[in-house]
């Protein structure tokens, strides 16, 4: 969910998630103006509607948000010391208090690329690993963008 338009802010916020009639405690690890990552051992399937109650920035109030699970990551208990199980959530309509919680997330406006520099999204994969990374590279042509990414 991280994009060049909406950078993530690292913030640990305790929360309660409500999914399909069930409720359990979790921890938000990072957030942006339109989404968040929830660390939980019970991530929901992508496309699942979810309601989340977060502790407010001053700790004395609760912020209720709702959204849709966009992706999930399940980690075996053996690997939980190095990676985190969780899910990425896109928010439907964040309340005003959400902006205060996000706080210092900069607003970056997207500009139309010039004809000389076109943006390309390049997906890189490590040999022998299922993990990938997405880079946005500017270049005059596709080959130039690939060369810059490498």
């Amino acid at each position: 969910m991280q994009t060049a338009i909406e950078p993530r802010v690292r913030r640990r916020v305790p929360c309660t998630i409500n999914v399909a009639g069930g409720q359990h405690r979790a921890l938000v690890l990072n957030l942006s103006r339109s989404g968040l990552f929830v660390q939980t051992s019970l991530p929901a399937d992508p496309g699942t509607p979810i309601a989340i109650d977060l502790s407010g920035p001053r700790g004395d109030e609760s912020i209720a948000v709702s959204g849709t699970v966009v992706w999930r990551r399940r980690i075996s208990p053996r690997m939980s010391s190095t990676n985190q199980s969780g899910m990425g959530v896109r928010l439907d309509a964040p309340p005003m208090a959400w902006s205060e919680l996000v706080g210092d997330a900069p607003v970056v406006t997207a500009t139309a690329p010039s004809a000389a520099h076109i943006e390309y999204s390049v997906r890189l994969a490590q040999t022998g690993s299922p993990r990938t990374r997405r880079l946005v590279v500017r270049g005059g042509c596709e080959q130039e963008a690939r060369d810059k990414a490498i």
Side-chain angles (χ1 to χ4, degrees), residues 9 11 31-33 57 96-107:
V9 175
R11 207 158 273 143
L31 42 94
S32 72
R33 293 188 186 279
M96 291 299 289
W98 182 254
S99 298
E100 187 177 337
L101 185 63
V102 173
D104 56 348
V107 177

Side-chain angles (χ1 to χ4, degrees), residues 62-146:
S62 177
I63 300 172
V65 295
S66 63
T68 305
V69 176
V70 179
W71 57 270
R72 73 173 179 191
R73 178 178 12 179
R74 284 196 175 161
I75 304 297
S76 71
R78 185 178 51 175
M79 298 294 292
S80 64
S81 64
T82 58
N83 290 318
Q84 299 137 349
S85 291
M87 58 190 157
V89 178
R90 182 181 324 120
L91 300 178
D92 294 334
M96 291 299 289
W98 182 254
S99 298
E100 187 177 337
L101 185 63
V102 173
D104 56 348
V107 177
V108 179
T109 57
T111 58
S114 66
H117 289 90
I118 300 171
E119 287 187 353
Y120 292 92
S121 177
V122 180
R123 185 164 299 275
L124 302 173
Q126 182 178 3
T127 304
S129 172
R131 296 187 67 161
T132 63
R133 296 286 185 252
R134 182 179 153 273
L135 297 174
V136 176
V137 182
R138 291 183 184 197
C141 66
E142 186 176 348
Q143 186 59 46
E144 182 183 343
R146 281 186 184 153

